[in-house]
Amino acid sequence: MTMLTRKFAGALLVLSLAAATQAQEADEAGTAPEQPVVAADNATIEEVVVIGRYKAAATDIVSERMDASVPVDMLDAEAIGRVGDGDVAAALRRVPGLTLAQGKFVYVRGLGERYSSTQLNSAAVPSPDLTRNVLPLDIFPADIVDALTVSKGYSPELPAAFGGGNVNIRTKRVPEDIVLGLKIKSGWNTNHSDDAFTYSGGDDDKFGDDDGTRELPDALQTAISTYRGSFSPGNILEVLRQDGGFHTIEEAEAVNRQLATELNRNIDVRDKDLPADIGLEATGGYRWFLGENWEVGFLALGAYDDNWRNRERVNRRINLPDSDFSETQRTVRSTSLTGSLSLGVRFTEDHEIGTNSMFIRNTEDEASVSRTCGQGQFNDCADPTSPAQGRINELRFEQRELEVNQISGSHTLGDATLDILGDSFSWLAPLRDLEYTWYWSDSQADTDIPNEVRMESLDSLDPATGAILNTRIRSTLTAGRYTFAELEDEVESNGFSATYPIYGNGWDLELAAGYDYVRKTRFFEQITFGLGSTDAGFNTVSSGTPSEVFSDANILDSSTGLQVALNIGQFGEESYAAAQINDASWAKFDLLLNETWRIAAGVRYEDFVQVSVPLDILTFGQPRVAATPQEIADGVIADDEYYPSLAVTYIQPGFWSDEFQLRFAWSETVARPDIREVTESIFIDPLTEARVQGRSTLQSSDVTNYDVRAEWLWDSGDSFSVSLFLKDIDNPIETVQGGASEDNILFSFVNGESGEIYGAEIEWLKGLGSLSSALEGFYLAGNATFSDSDLELDRAVPGAASITNDSRRLTQHSEWVANLQIGWDSPDAKHAATLVYNAFGERIFFAGVDGNDDAFEQPFHSLDFVYSWYPTENLTVKVKAQNLLDDELEIEQDGSAGRVTVIEQNVGSTFSIDLKWQL
């Protein structure tokens, strides 16, 4: 981002908003991964045999879940490791009612990512995703996780942006004992082949970092300012004549051609044999005891992963699927680097301060070749006597980074503290067990996409064999399109809370109150260059690869007519600046009566403001805001509301189980439009390759939540729960198809009149040894969600006039979600195996228009197998097989041509092996 843009956008947002932060109390530190149990007495050995590794961990999780005042679901490090998921997004698929979209966004109870919030150690963090300000969860490796908490019932200490739920990622903290471990892993995917693609990148690509090979050249950055945002020969001539001398249009054209040579044209796509996946990880931690009262410690983790994947995708136009389609073969190299350091100090059992610093880099380097018919404003396949097909070569290097620094503290006026203070502070005794917690978090997400290239050409085919006879670069001014994009997203948050317990005869009361403050700023800048020619002389040099056609000699030769054009974006003003502030305070009480009834109620107040404005960064001499004052005002979201909640729990041990709870929960929350969705800017969705345009008139959605959950827990570790839920939504935000052009479709957003989602969840964990001695060590675990939803749309709402179905299900809602695990733990605790199944029902991907039906993402059935061997107390060997059914992503839509698979993409099956040593 240029300095001028930074200063302008920063000044604009400072005038529009104040600064702030929000999050909740940091969770307590977790413990190191559990080691194989080696017991000296038979009783302990028997417990290990009966409960097993997974069931022992699951018992702890269920106990913590039942201690919560509202319905929650949890996964800990042991459970995640058991099923072999590599990142947080994949792990959350195992939670009841959760599904995964685009491999990184979690949908809770069939509601899209906009209806949920995500926190890291109870603090807000920014998003490196270009298309949303929702945090993509695939960037977090599973190895840093101590536990994942999904709150499905609302409580006032949580952000009010809570529709489906809140996901809190609790990272590992300072261990209680020494931790030292090394892990190496490798694997491959069934789509590995010798027909993969690559290109000439930089020397640091293996670390997921561009070394400058792809960056915007200094000469072009200077020229943008010199020629005031336009590289047209006419404009260049005007600038040249400002020196008072005599200049010709030929001279200006020569300047343009010279600027064109600054673009990186070493972009030929070539074949590559894919290597095996590789991963490395090292962890180390220790806690020192200094005297009787002081403890200090640390935990450090470093990880590296590098893998290549082939992906084949087909896109079809709904009304002409046989003649208007594209077939794309992509090769994606994914590289991730993770480093984290946690420090902690504890004074007695009453006071603890901890820090968490984290750096995550997640880079995807993609080379693809698309063969098109009828797309891109061409009609390549219409004439069978002159067979031809379009070809689009694309390169995309997306480098996402997240830096987080957090510090939190917990202080209790406990017995140890009162003893140290002595009689001089005896007046504090009535405040015994008063707890005060605080936190501060500063984080920044950066996404850099340098030199994204799209090159359009035309293949001439042999009518008899279909072999490619000749490839020519298309004769257009944008045959080569170079895009440079950069995103900066910063979040600073802080807060505190106080909790005070009061103990009576037959009742316990806990009073709590707190404050959260979040300040978020987000800048996005994009510049696009076009390279090409429409002159007849270009046809003499247009055959060959891009590097051959766009050589220095050809560009500088005036007879070819080659020139570079400068645009602010592919479709208009795509750059923008945005900011949020959220100033929140809350209070609640938690009352326990006779160990039978528990009543928790409270309220949260949020003063929320969000502004987002499109920018024309190529404008000089006038304001760069690409919107009228009224359009800016329309896009401002200002909420000043109270969000209440109530939870009632009935506790009755011995009712069909050793522990039983029946919960009722009610709350009012909100779902707000995404920053990107309230600007009129147009951006590209990376999954569908469709254009997506925001709408400044979007309103927030008010959500009323109702939950009932019954939970049974047995001392053996078995558990069972059933839940009912209902959510009423006012002004739900929906994705609709907003039209189409010859080269792509357009999505937009509208507010519906009303919506609701309702359903039931069941979850269970059962040891099978009680059924037969032959099943000793086996267990069956799973969950299922069955739900339905209703949406009412008003066609009079802007953007909704052409919608086909004004009464339907909510977008992204699945009527059913299922997870099933069959596991086995050997009697000697040296072997463990798990078969894991996950699937979801079809869900609306986007709403259809102009008589076309809604597009449905089809069910995806995932079957994974994980085997773990513990040959020694310190060594673990893990073998994983994922997507054994080799299912594919498919999106279907009904139109005039019948039911059409408008998008299909293969995933492949992955096989891997991990070797881990831990002290």
Side-chain angles (χ1 to χ4, degrees), residues 15-50:
L15 290 173
S16 302
L17 296 175
T21 48
Q22 179 260 354
Q24 75 184 60
E25 151 189 1
D27 291 290
E28 300 208 356
T31 57
E34 188 177 17
Q35 291 296 315
V37 178
V38 179
D41 57 87
N42 293 333
T44 305
I45 293 176
E46 182 179 9
E47 181 180 356
V48 171
V49 171
V50 174

mmCIF file of all heavy atoms in Angstrom, residues 15-50:
data_model
loop_
_atom_site.group_PDB
_atom_site.id
_atom_site.type_symbol
_atom_site.label_atom_id
_atom_site.label_comp_id
_atom_site.label_asym_id
_atom_site.label_seq_id
_atom_site.Cartn_x
_atom_site.Cartn_y
_atom_site.Cartn_z
ATOM 1 N N LEU A 15 -11.283 10.261 11.290
ATOM 2 C CA LEU A 15 -12.389 11.214 11.329
ATOM 3 C C LEU A 15 -13.720 10.485 11.456
ATOM 4 O O LEU A 15 -14.675 11.014 12.027
ATOM 5 C CB LEU A 15 -12.393 12.081 10.057
ATOM 6 C CG LEU A 15 -11.246 13.083 9.947
ATOM 7 C CD1 LEU A 15 -11.280 13.734 8.573
ATOM 8 C CD2 LEU A 15 -11.341 14.143 11.031
ATOM 9 N N SER A 16 -13.818 9.267 10.899
ATOM 10 C CA SER A 16 -15.078 8.550 10.907
ATOM 11 C C SER A 16 -15.333 7.831 12.225
ATOM 12 O O SER A 16 -16.477 7.672 12.637
ATOM 13 C CB SER A 16 -15.105 7.517 9.770
ATOM 14 O OG SER A 16 -14.915 8.150 8.532
ATOM 15 N N LEU A 17 -14.257 7.331 12.860
ATOM 16 C CA LEU A 17 -14.416 6.483 14.031
ATOM 17 C C LEU A 17 -13.360 6.783 15.086
ATOM 18 O O LEU A 17 -12.320 7.340 14.782
ATOM 19 C CB LEU A 17 -14.268 4.992 13.643
ATOM 20 C CG LEU A 17 -15.306 4.423 12.695
ATOM 21 C CD1 LEU A 17 -14.921 3.003 12.333
ATOM 22 C CD2 LEU A 17 -16.659 4.445 13.344
ATOM 23 N N ALA A 18 -13.613 6.361 16.286
ATOM 24 C CA ALA A 18 -12.603 6.369 17.343
ATOM 25 C C ALA A 18 -11.922 5.017 17.340
ATOM 26 O O ALA A 18 -12.169 4.206 16.475
ATOM 27 C CB ALA A 18 -13.249 6.671 18.690
ATOM 28 N N ALA A 19 -11.082 4.765 18.300
ATOM 29 C CA ALA A 19 -10.388 3.494 18.369
ATOM 30 C C ALA A 19 -10.925 2.674 19.527
ATOM 31 O O ALA A 19 -11.348 3.233 20.508
ATOM 32 C CB ALA A 19 -8.902 3.721 18.549
ATOM 33 N N ALA A 20 -10.899 1.350 19.399
ATOM 34 C CA ALA A 20 -11.422 0.522 20.479
ATOM 35 C C ALA A 20 -11.003 -0.920 20.388
ATOM 36 O O ALA A 20 -10.360 -1.268 19.439
ATOM 37 C CB ALA A 20 -12.919 0.625 20.508
ATOM 38 N N THR A 21 -11.409 -1.765 21.360
ATOM 39 C CA THR A 21 -11.089 -3.183 21.383
ATOM 40 C C THR A 21 -12.128 -4.016 22.100
ATOM 41 O O THR A 21 -12.830 -3.507 22.947
ATOM 42 C CB THR A 21 -9.735 -3.459 22.071
ATOM 43 O OG1 THR A 21 -9.743 -2.739 23.256
ATOM 44 C CG2 THR A 21 -8.576 -3.099 21.202
ATOM 45 N N GLN A 22 -12.211 -5.263 21.695
ATOM 46 C CA GLN A 22 -13.176 -6.141 22.332
ATOM 47 C C GLN A 22 -12.624 -7.551 22.426
ATOM 48 O O GLN A 22 -11.872 -7.934 21.586
ATOM 49 C CB GLN A 22 -14.478 -6.175 21.516
ATOM 50 C CG GLN A 22 -15.562 -7.051 22.048
ATOM 51 C CD GLN A 22 -15.653 -8.371 21.354
ATOM 52 O OE1 GLN A 22 -14.977 -8.630 20.369
ATOM 53 N NE2 GLN A 22 -16.430 -9.233 21.902
ATOM 54 N N ALA A 23 -12.983 -8.352 23.443
ATOM 55 C CA ALA A 23 -12.761 -9.780 23.585
ATOM 56 C C ALA A 23 -13.158 -10.174 24.981
ATOM 57 O O ALA A 23 -13.600 -9.338 25.729
ATOM 58 C CB ALA A 23 -11.333 -10.190 23.286
ATOM 59 N N GLN A 24 -12.979 -11.353 25.358
ATOM 60 C CA GLN A 24 -13.376 -11.740 26.688
ATOM 61 C C GLN A 24 -12.190 -12.288 27.456
ATOM 62 O O GLN A 24 -11.105 -12.399 26.936
ATOM 63 C CB GLN A 24 -14.498 -12.780 26.638
ATOM 64 C CG GLN A 24 -13.985 -14.143 26.231
ATOM 65 C CD GLN A 24 -15.101 -15.129 26.095
ATOM 66 O OE1 GLN A 24 -15.988 -14.950 25.304
ATOM 67 N NE2 GLN A 24 -15.046 -16.183 26.833
ATOM 68 N N GLU A 25 -12.430 -12.604 28.682
ATOM 69 C CA GLU A 25 -11.415 -13.084 29.605
ATOM 70 C C GLU A 25 -10.644 -14.252 29.013
ATOM 71 O O GLU A 25 -11.232 -15.154 28.460
ATOM 72 C CB GLU A 25 -12.157 -13.497 30.885
ATOM 73 C CG GLU A 25 -11.509 -14.594 31.664
ATOM 74 C CD GLU A 25 -12.428 -15.065 32.783
ATOM 75 O OE1 GLU A 25 -13.533 -14.541 32.903
ATOM 76 O OE2 GLU A 25 -12.014 -15.947 33.497
ATOM 77 N N ALA A 26 -9.300 -14.210 29.114
ATOM 78 C CA ALA A 26 -8.474 -15.263 28.530
ATOM 79 C C ALA A 26 -8.645 -16.557 29.306
ATOM 80 O O ALA A 26 -8.715 -16.558 30.533
ATOM 81 C CB ALA A 26 -7.010 -14.846 28.528
ATOM 82 N N ASP A 27 -8.750 -17.672 28.577
ATOM 83 C CA ASP A 27 -8.923 -18.954 29.246
ATOM 84 C C ASP A 27 -7.626 -19.415 29.887
ATOM 85 O O ASP A 27 -6.538 -18.978 29.539
ATOM 86 C CB ASP A 27 -9.377 -20.022 28.227
ATOM 87 C CG ASP A 27 -10.782 -19.745 27.765
ATOM 88 O OD1 ASP A 27 -11.703 -19.912 28.583
ATOM 89 O OD2 ASP A 27 -10.952 -19.363 26.582
ATOM 90 N N GLU A 28 -7.787 -20.339 30.801
ATOM 91 C CA GLU A 28 -6.622 -20.796 31.527
ATOM 92 C C GLU A 28 -5.745 -21.683 30.656
ATOM 93 O O GLU A 28 -6.196 -22.260 29.697
ATOM 94 C CB GLU A 28 -7.059 -21.578 32.765
ATOM 95 C CG GLU A 28 -7.903 -20.725 33.693
ATOM 96 C CD GLU A 28 -7.769 -21.184 35.117
ATOM 97 O OE1 GLU A 28 -7.096 -22.192 35.316
ATOM 98 O OE2 GLU A 28 -8.304 -20.519 35.995
ATOM 99 N N ALA A 29 -4.477 -21.777 31.055
ATOM 100 C CA ALA A 29 -3.514 -22.542 30.263
ATOM 101 C C ALA A 29 -3.886 -24.011 30.260
ATOM 102 O O ALA A 29 -4.392 -24.550 31.231
ATOM 103 C CB ALA A 29 -2.118 -22.359 30.841
ATOM 104 N N GLY A 30 -3.586 -24.656 29.131
ATOM 105 C CA GLY A 30 -3.826 -26.084 29.028
ATOM 106 C C GLY A 30 -2.610 -26.871 29.419
ATOM 107 O O GLY A 30 -1.564 -26.335 29.757
ATOM 108 N N THR A 31 -2.753 -28.184 29.406
ATOM 109 C CA THR A 31 -1.652 -29.049 29.758
ATOM 110 C C THR A 31 -1.073 -29.674 28.515
ATOM 111 O O THR A 31 -1.657 -29.633 27.445
ATOM 112 C CB THR A 31 -2.136 -30.153 30.715
ATOM 113 O OG1 THR A 31 -3.191 -30.857 30.061
ATOM 114 C CG2 THR A 31 -2.667 -29.543 32.009
ATOM 115 N N ALA A 32 0.084 -30.264 28.658
ATOM 116 C CA ALA A 32 0.759 -30.901 27.531
ATOM 117 C C ALA A 32 -0.014 -32.143 27.107
ATOM 118 O O ALA A 32 -0.797 -32.699 27.866
ATOM 119 C CB ALA A 32 2.180 -31.282 27.939
ATOM 120 N N PRO A 33 0.172 -32.600 25.873
ATOM 121 C CA PRO A 33 -0.520 -33.805 25.406
ATOM 122 C C PRO A 33 -0.241 -34.987 26.314
ATOM 123 O O PRO A 33 0.886 -35.178 26.782
ATOM 124 C CB PRO A 33 0.072 -34.020 24.005
ATOM 125 C CG PRO A 33 0.504 -32.660 23.586
ATOM 126 C CD PRO A 33 0.983 -31.985 24.835
ATOM 127 N N GLU A 34 -1.278 -35.775 26.540
ATOM 128 C CA GLU A 34 -1.168 -36.878 27.473
ATOM 129 C C GLU A 34 -0.285 -37.981 26.897
ATOM 130 O O GLU A 34 -0.386 -38.342 25.742
ATOM 131 C CB GLU A 34 -2.565 -37.414 27.758
ATOM 132 C CG GLU A 34 -2.592 -38.441 28.859
ATOM 133 C CD GLU A 34 -4.021 -38.860 29.130
ATOM 134 O OE1 GLU A 34 -4.869 -38.601 28.282
ATOM 135 O OE2 GLU A 34 -4.271 -39.453 30.177
ATOM 136 N N GLN A 35 0.592 -38.530 27.763
ATOM 137 C CA GLN A 35 1.483 -39.605 27.359
ATOM 138 C C GLN A 35 0.835 -40.957 27.666
ATOM 139 O O GLN A 35 -0.098 -41.054 28.479
ATOM 140 C CB GLN A 35 2.813 -39.497 28.124
ATOM 141 C CG GLN A 35 3.636 -38.291 27.709
ATOM 142 C CD GLN A 35 4.052 -38.391 26.262
ATOM 143 O OE1 GLN A 35 4.487 -39.423 25.803
ATOM 144 N NE2 GLN A 35 3.894 -37.296 25.551
ATOM 145 N N PRO A 36 1.314 -42.034 27.053
ATOM 146 C CA PRO A 36 0.806 -43.356 27.393
ATOM 147 C C PRO A 36 0.934 -43.620 28.879
ATOM 148 O O PRO A 36 1.956 -43.293 29.503
ATOM 149 C CB PRO A 36 1.701 -44.310 26.578
ATOM 150 C CG PRO A 36 2.139 -43.474 25.429
ATOM 151 C CD PRO A 36 2.302 -42.092 25.969
ATOM 152 N N VAL A 37 -0.113 -44.178 29.484
ATOM 153 C CA VAL A 37 -0.123 -44.369 30.926
ATOM 154 C C VAL A 37 0.619 -45.654 31.262
ATOM 155 O O VAL A 37 0.331 -46.721 30.752
ATOM 156 C CB VAL A 37 -1.577 -44.442 31.434
ATOM 157 C CG1 VAL A 37 -1.600 -44.692 32.923
ATOM 158 C CG2 VAL A 37 -2.301 -43.156 31.093
ATOM 159 N N VAL A 38 1.585 -45.560 32.146
ATOM 160 C CA VAL A 38 2.314 -46.713 32.654
ATOM 161 C C VAL A 38 2.054 -46.787 34.145
ATOM 162 O O VAL A 38 2.518 -45.929 34.909
ATOM 163 C CB VAL A 38 3.822 -46.613 32.380
ATOM 164 C CG1 VAL A 38 4.536 -47.827 32.940
ATOM 165 C CG2 VAL A 38 4.074 -46.491 30.889
ATOM 166 N N ALA A 39 1.251 -47.731 34.580
ATOM 167 C CA ALA A 39 0.812 -47.773 35.964
ATOM 168 C C ALA A 39 1.520 -48.885 36.719
ATOM 169 O O ALA A 39 1.888 -49.918 36.179
ATOM 170 C CB ALA A 39 -0.700 -47.980 36.018
ATOM 171 N N ALA A 40 1.673 -48.662 38.021
ATOM 172 C CA ALA A 40 2.351 -49.638 38.859
ATOM 173 C C ALA A 40 1.365 -50.601 39.504
ATOM 174 O O ALA A 40 1.741 -51.657 39.961
ATOM 175 C CB ALA A 40 3.158 -48.933 39.944
ATOM 176 N N ASP A 41 0.091 -50.208 39.574
ATOM 177 C CA ASP A 41 -0.887 -51.071 40.230
ATOM 178 C C ASP A 41 -1.962 -51.495 39.246
ATOM 179 O O ASP A 41 -2.256 -50.816 38.288
ATOM 180 C CB ASP A 41 -1.521 -50.346 41.425
ATOM 181 C CG ASP A 41 -2.169 -49.043 40.994
ATOM 182 O OD1 ASP A 41 -3.339 -49.100 40.593
ATOM 183 O OD2 ASP A 41 -1.488 -47.996 41.044
ATOM 184 N N ASN A 42 -2.557 -52.663 39.536
ATOM 185 C CA ASN A 42 -3.527 -53.239 38.618
ATOM 186 C C ASN A 42 -4.762 -52.374 38.457
ATOM 187 O O ASN A 42 -5.382 -52.353 37.401
ATOM 188 C CB ASN A 42 -3.934 -54.636 39.103
ATOM 189 C CG ASN A 42 -2.783 -55.619 39.010
ATOM 190 O OD1 ASN A 42 -1.903 -55.445 38.174
ATOM 191 N ND2 ASN A 42 -2.780 -56.633 39.881
ATOM 192 N N ALA A 43 -5.151 -51.654 39.528
ATOM 193 C CA ALA A 43 -6.365 -50.837 39.443
ATOM 194 C C ALA A 43 -6.220 -49.757 38.390
ATOM 195 O O ALA A 43 -7.136 -49.495 37.612
ATOM 196 C CB ALA A 43 -6.671 -50.210 40.799
ATOM 197 N N THR A 44 -5.046 -49.120 38.363
ATOM 198 C CA THR A 44 -4.836 -48.066 37.372
ATOM 199 C C THR A 44 -4.798 -48.643 35.972
ATOM 200 O O THR A 44 -5.345 -48.076 35.029
ATOM 201 C CB THR A 44 -3.532 -47.312 37.670
ATOM 202 O OG1 THR A 44 -3.572 -46.836 39.006
ATOM 203 C CG2 THR A 44 -3.352 -46.153 36.711
ATOM 204 N N ILE A 45 -4.157 -49.798 35.811
ATOM 205 C CA ILE A 45 -4.102 -50.437 34.498
ATOM 206 C C ILE A 45 -5.507 -50.763 34.015
ATOM 207 O O ILE A 45 -5.858 -50.535 32.867
ATOM 208 C CB ILE A 45 -3.234 -51.713 34.554
ATOM 209 C CG1 ILE A 45 -1.773 -51.334 34.807
ATOM 210 C CG2 ILE A 45 -3.367 -52.516 33.274
ATOM 211 C CD1 ILE A 45 -0.863 -52.518 34.965
ATOM 212 N N GLU A 46 -6.351 -51.279 34.938
ATOM 213 C CA GLU A 46 -7.714 -51.628 34.549
ATOM 214 C C GLU A 46 -8.468 -50.395 34.062
ATOM 215 O O GLU A 46 -9.217 -50.461 33.091
ATOM 216 C CB GLU A 46 -8.431 -52.249 35.742
ATOM 217 C CG GLU A 46 -9.850 -52.687 35.406
ATOM 218 C CD GLU A 46 -10.544 -53.316 36.585
ATOM 219 O OE1 GLU A 46 -9.996 -53.261 37.699
ATOM 220 O OE2 GLU A 46 -11.651 -53.854 36.384
ATOM 221 N N GLU A 47 -8.259 -49.228 34.720
ATOM 222 C CA GLU A 47 -8.951 -48.011 34.303
ATOM 223 C C GLU A 47 -8.547 -47.617 32.886
ATOM 224 O O GLU A 47 -9.386 -47.201 32.084
ATOM 225 C CB GLU A 47 -8.648 -46.880 35.278
ATOM 226 C CG GLU A 47 -9.356 -45.584 34.913
ATOM 227 C CD GLU A 47 -9.037 -44.474 35.882
ATOM 228 O OE1 GLU A 47 -8.327 -44.739 36.874
ATOM 229 O OE2 GLU A 47 -9.478 -43.353 35.638
ATOM 230 N N VAL A 48 -7.252 -47.753 32.573
ATOM 231 C CA VAL A 48 -6.785 -47.407 31.239
ATOM 232 C C VAL A 48 -7.414 -48.323 30.197
ATOM 233 O O VAL A 48 -7.835 -47.886 29.129
ATOM 234 C CB VAL A 48 -5.243 -47.483 31.176
ATOM 235 C CG1 VAL A 48 -4.773 -47.345 29.735
ATOM 236 C CG2 VAL A 48 -4.620 -46.430 32.059
ATOM 237 N N VAL A 49 -7.525 -49.608 30.519
ATOM 238 C CA VAL A 49 -8.090 -50.549 29.571
ATOM 239 C C VAL A 49 -9.558 -50.221 29.302
ATOM 240 O O VAL A 49 -10.030 -50.226 28.167
ATOM 241 C CB VAL A 49 -7.952 -51.990 30.109
ATOM 242 C CG1 VAL A 49 -8.740 -52.957 29.244
ATOM 243 C CG2 VAL A 49 -6.488 -52.393 30.151
ATOM 244 N N VAL A 50 -10.303 -49.900 30.342
ATOM 245 C CA VAL A 50 -11.732 -49.668 30.192
ATOM 246 C C VAL A 50 -12.015 -48.353 29.487
ATOM 247 O O VAL A 50 -12.793 -48.271 28.559
ATOM 248 C CB VAL A 50 -12.418 -49.703 31.579
ATOM 249 C CG1 VAL A 50 -13.885 -49.302 31.437
ATOM 250 C CG2 VAL A 50 -12.296 -51.084 32.192
#
